[in-house]
Structure formats: structure tokens, C-alpha cells
Amino acid sequence: MVKSGLILGVVALIFTTLATLISPICTPCLAFFIGLFAGYLGGILEKPHNEGSSAKVGAVAGVISGVGAIIGQIIGAVINANIVGPEGVMNMLQQLNIPASSDVVNYYTPIVYGSAFCIGVFNLVIMAGLGALGGLLWLQINGRKNRAAY
């Protein structure tokens, strides 16, 4: 479970960083697939024998990979904020006829980094739940065949 979590944590870090450069809202889609695969890979590597241990292996793998997603989300947000900056946000809001102030302090800390962290935690929860589901899927697909050998 630790091995699969670390492997997919690195994958999550890379892909979440890249997706955050486009838009932070893209990352829950990645969390869905990476979390599911983390749980399934945890089942492949650990070979749990019952539903409880299979779900636990998958959930732990999902949480570990979710930490990589949080780190990637924050790294991507920092890069994105430095590329776009408050002036770029002001230009976009003016094009949409949305009134806004040019307060740089309120742009970086609560908006950029706060939203990156909140979306990252949301991704972690998704990845933990779907990791448990991935572990159970592994048990349903492959674990039943191996259960007779034990």
C-alpha cells in the first residue's frame, strides 16, 4: 500500500501540477482516476484476502497519493499565480464586466494558495474513497481467483 501510494503520489504530483497550470478545477478529474488506480495497484502489490483489508490497502494508497496531489496542486498554483498575476486576473474580470479591486495581497494568499489547498484536500478525500473502491475492485476481479490458493 505504501509502495503503490508513493508511485502514484509522484504521478499525482506531476499531473496535478500540469493540470493546475491550466485550471485548478481540472484536478478532481485526475484524482478520480489516480485514486482508483492507486487502490487497484495496492491490491496487486499487497494481495489482501478479504474486503476489509482490501479497502484499507486501497484507502491508504489513495491517501498517500493524495498527499502528492496536494503538493502538486500548490506547486502548480504558485507557478500559475506568477504567470497570470493579479493584473491578468483584473483584465479577465474586466472583460467579463465583473467589478474587482486590485488588491495584490488578497489575490495571492487567500485566493490562490487557499483555493489550491482546499481543492487539494478535496482531491485527497476523493482519492482515499476511490482508492478503497479500487482495492475492492481488485479483490472482485483478481482476488477471488487467488483466494482458493490460501
Side-chain angles (χ1 to χ4, degrees):
M1 71 182 127
V2 174
K3 224 186 265 185
S4 65
L6 290 175
I7 291 168
L8 287 166
V10 171
V11 170
L13 186 139
I14 293 168
F15 283 111
T16 305
T17 301
L18 294 174
T20 303
L21 293 176
I22 299 168
S23 174
I25 298 172
C26 297
T27 59
C29 296
L30 288 173
F32 180 83
F33 294 109
I34 293 172
L36 195 61
F37 189 65
Y40 195 84
L41 184 62
I44 291 172
L45 297 176
E46 297 287 324
K47 298 190 184 359
H49 300 294
N50 58 27
E51 286 85 5
S53 62
S54 182
K56 180 183 175 190
V57 164
V60 171
V63 166
I64 294 171
S65 60
V67 171
I70 288 176
I71 295 169
Q73 185 87 29
I74 292 172
I75 291 170
V78 168
I79 295 170
N80 197 350
N82 287 325
I83 291 172
V84 175
E87 295 83 20
V89 172
M90 290 296 297
N91 289 337
M92 284 189 279
L93 292 176
Q94 287 173 354
Q95 289 176 357
L96 297 172
N97 293 326
I98 298 173
S101 66
S102 61
D103 191 4
V104 176
V105 175
N106 286 337
Y107 172 71
Y108 285 108
T109 306
I111 294 173
V112 174
Y113 306 132
S115 64
F117 182 75
C118 289
I119 293 172
V121 170
F122 179 69
N123 289 342
L124 182 118
V125 171
I126 290 173
M127 292 171 89
L130 288 169
L133 180 64
L136 291 171
L137 283 173
W138 175 85
L139 186 67
Q140 290 293 321
I141 295 170
N142 297 317
R144 303 280 185 217
K145 298 174 198 172
N146 298 332
R147 189 179 263 183
Y150 297 110

